[in-house]
Amino acid sequence: MEIWINPACSKCRSAISVLDAEGADYTVRRYLEDVPTPDEIREVLDRLGLEPWDITRTREAVADELGVSAWPRDATSRDRWVAALAAHPALIQRPIITADDGTAVVARTEEAVRDALSRGG
């Protein structure tokens, strides 16, 4: 199990606290420093069952600079969104936990963290 975090994020710190309290075996990825490649982002999206716009933090300043709110949300634009997430990792919703069963969750609540744990952690 791996968790993508920004240490400055309170939801990330809360997720880590739950994992630690449950004695989970996990790896921390500080994705702002260890930036995921476009292929890694696509893999996580597949595991989440989501599209790149579903995990984009559209209220970030860089989202406004890029104008992502006006980008089409369709299959032909998917690679553009993935490229933006890879180039500007602050746009990636956090935390994301990849579970041992091949799935992933955006773990913004304690319930979501526990869901990831139930999937094998």
Side-chain angles (χ1 to χ4, degrees):
M1 157 177 292
E2 182 176 77
I3 182 169
W4 291 9
I5 68 158
N6 172 353
C9 167
S10 63
K11 292 190 184 301
C12 292
R13 292 191 305 271
S14 294
I16 294 283
S17 294
V18 172
L19 293 175
D20 287 344
E22 295 296 327
D25 181 20
Y26 65 94
T27 303
V28 170
R29 180 171 187 168
R30 294 177 179 218
Y31 71 93
L32 296 178
E33 299 159 17
D34 183 5
V35 179
T37 66
D39 285 342
E40 289 174 313
I41 292 168
R42 284 187 199 92
E43 178 188 343
V44 163
L45 287 166
D46 289 345
R47 293 174 77 162
L48 287 166
L50 297 174
E51 292 296 338
W53 45 86
D54 296 325
I55 66 161
T56 299
R57 296 172 54 85
T58 57
R59 293 192 178 121
E60 292 290 320
V62 70
D64 285 339
E65 291 168 23
L66 296 172
V68 298
S69 61
W71 291 4
R73 296 178 181 212
D74 58 28
T76 58
S77 300
R78 192 174 202 260
D79 285 343
R80 180 183 188 189
W81 284 85
V82 169
L85 293 174
H88 307 281
L91 292 175
I92 299 172
Q93 191 62 261
R94 59 188 184 248
I96 293 176
I97 299 176
T98 55
D100 292 345
D101 71 352
T103 62
V105 292
V106 178
R108 296 187 55 75
T109 64
E110 183 175 335
E111 294 77 26
V113 177
R114 293 191 184 285
D115 180 40
L117 283 167
S118 73
R119 297 174 188 217

